[in-house]
Amino acid sequence: MSADFPDFTGPSETVPWVFLRELGAACDLRSTLNVMAAWVPKFIDVERVSITLVNDDGELDLLAVQGTKISPVGTTFKTEQTLVGRAFTTGKLANYPEITGSTIDGETLVAAGMRSCLVAPLSSVDRCYGTFNVASSQLGYFTADHELVVGALASLVASFARVHFEMEEQQQRARLDSLTGLLNRSGVMAELEERFDNESGQVCVLFLDLDGFKAINDAYGHAVGDKMLIDLSDRIRRSLRPEDALGRIGGDEFVVICDPDGDSSVGITVAERLLGECQQVLEVGPTTINPRLSIGVVVADVAVQTAEQVLTEADLAMYEAKKNKSLIAVANDDMRMRRDLVAAIDRDIAEAMETNEIHFLVQPIWEIETGRLSGAESLVRWTHPVHGPIPPPFLIERIESTEQIEQFTEWSLAAVGRQIVEMRRKNSMLAQVPVSINLTPQQLSWTNYVKIHLEMLERYDLDPQDIPVELVESGVVEVDTSAEATLRALAVENVYIALDDFGTGSNALGYFTRFHIDGIKIDRSLISSMIKSDPIRTIVEGLGSMARALDIQVVAEGIETQAELDLCRSLGVEHGQGFHLGRPMSFDQLAELAPMSARQEPASLHSSE
Ligand code: C2E
Ligand code: MG
Ligand code: MG
């Protein structure tokens, strides 16, 4: 006896009890119908039972048959060509006292020796799912009592069918994106997994990302943004074959799944077609937009990869296309190795923050003329137990991609704030030395950022000037209106704001008109080439005078030699940072540094790296 049922003796083995037990044990609609069909002849004296379901095209699927084997289970035929059609279309029980061979099912029944039949609709609420059919070899066999019993059994089956189809519809809905009607992330994963489970050979996945969508949303509002996504999904859909699957898995990220059919170049062909179709001017509401896409392409062997791996790979390829501005990038072995690394890193980030395996070093910043320690910059570090040191920009990119950036931002503010306090406790001469924090536009576009920053200052009893913000420009994300709002709000609170890597980004000068700037950090690439290049030397000198004219601070980054330091001084650059003046070190090591001359003793400076 099944453990799910009470262990009755006697009554538990009665016919209804065993019937109910079998029904309860059936795990899907097909087995439920089979149990029903098998049991009906034990309740009423009939020679043949069948249960049919009708699909959306009005076709009948013979799902369960008990008794004389006629057409095989799974046979499909149109309702109008059948005896069962009348019950199905009228929703009323049909009693046929004498069947003829004029319909498909009539013909098979007559051939099997049946002479009369009863067909009850599987109706529940406002829908008919199919029919419940019984047949006899006797003419005019079925009475009003039969009609009653068969009608009741049909209602029971209909309610099973209803639950089944409603659950199926719910699952379908849960897999659809409400804005575009395309598959959503779980729909895409389910579709991919199905192809990996059921197919051999290859699957082609394209990962599409719209460039600058956030800026469009910010500039024109969400209604325009939504309209653009809908129009774009129509364009993508039109460029695909009916058997290709399409989903939207993030705000502006689309995924196409197609069968390469032995042609591994199909991914590029489809990607080029999509670019051609989608990058045409789009009219949305009051404006026209030139959509720009980056597409990552993967053609994967289903035997050696998993759905999850392939999607990550396609994402990485898309990122590569975006970074190189190449529009399309195909996943390669390098990316595959990166994928495994990325998976390990993504998995371990949260725990590494918790255990402080991810931590901060600080690199000193000096006033060049006086040799006074004028500040320090906090720099994130993580040595992964298996993969070794992770380059900070890559770590930040992964933290952003895995949507852990808000936790990281809050955590890093607290970590830096706490260590500034400890450091100052160890060396009170550092009480006036600020320690800056690097922030990407994405970190700054977090609407809670200002609140978290101010709370942290309050918690550690720090002044706004104690933690300057260095605006790091990452390759792909620009300062949008919410990051801009954060920067303005920080300026109102007297938080010092510096533009990092100045001289490399394309937007840096434009920022001067958008928010208040207290300082610039001249990028290492300019510092390292100024000795050999006259124009670069002139630019660095110009940046020094610009900073003086605007009354902002200028720091030369990446000073590696005495010659570079001397040149910076002669060009009027006031502050310097670089390996020659001190490598990144722990807060404790910085605490051991009394404010002293970097120029006199660069070699003796401590370092963690
Ligand atoms: P950055 O903010 O411009 O930081 C300066 C980078 O130059 C640091 O690299 C530093 O170690 C390196 N550096 C300093 N002096 C020299 C030198 O003389 N020669 C050379 N070759 N390099 C020097 P690091 O720590 O690898 O960080 C790289 C970038 O990663 C940072 O550039 C910053 O953009 C980003 N980053 C680091 N920490 C964080 C963080 O906590 N949050 C965010 N959002 N970004 C961070
Ligand atoms: Mg920096
Ligand atoms: Mg920099």
Side-chain angles (χ1 to χ4, degrees), residues 520-548:
I520 56 170
K521 298 188 78 178
I522 306 177
D523 192 66
R524 185 170 69 86
S525 57
L526 296 181
I527 302 301
S528 61
S529 41
M530 69 180 175
I531 295 214
K532 290 203 188 111
S533 158
D534 287 346
I536 300 285
R537 193 159 52 240
T538 310
I539 289 172
V540 172
E541 186 172 19
L543 290 176
S545 356
M546 177 187 97
R548 275 191 302 281

Side-chain angles (χ1 to χ4, degrees), residues 213-232:
F213 177 66
K214 202 162 190 309
I216 293 168
N217 244 343
D218 285 343
Y220 302 110
H222 286 278
V224 168
D226 285 356
K227 173 84 171 58
M228 179 173 180
L229 291 173
I230 293 168
D231 289 356
L232 207 65

Side-chain angles (χ1 to χ4, degrees), residues 49 94 100 111 125 183 187 199 207 219 229 247 261 269 301 431 439-440 466 529 543 574 577 584:
V49 184
T100 63
V125 193
L183 296 173
E199 287 177 23
F207 198 110
L229 291 173
D261 232 354
T269 317
D301 217 329
L439 293 171
T440 62
D466 286 331
S529 41
L543 290 176
E574 282 166 0
Q577 175 184 2

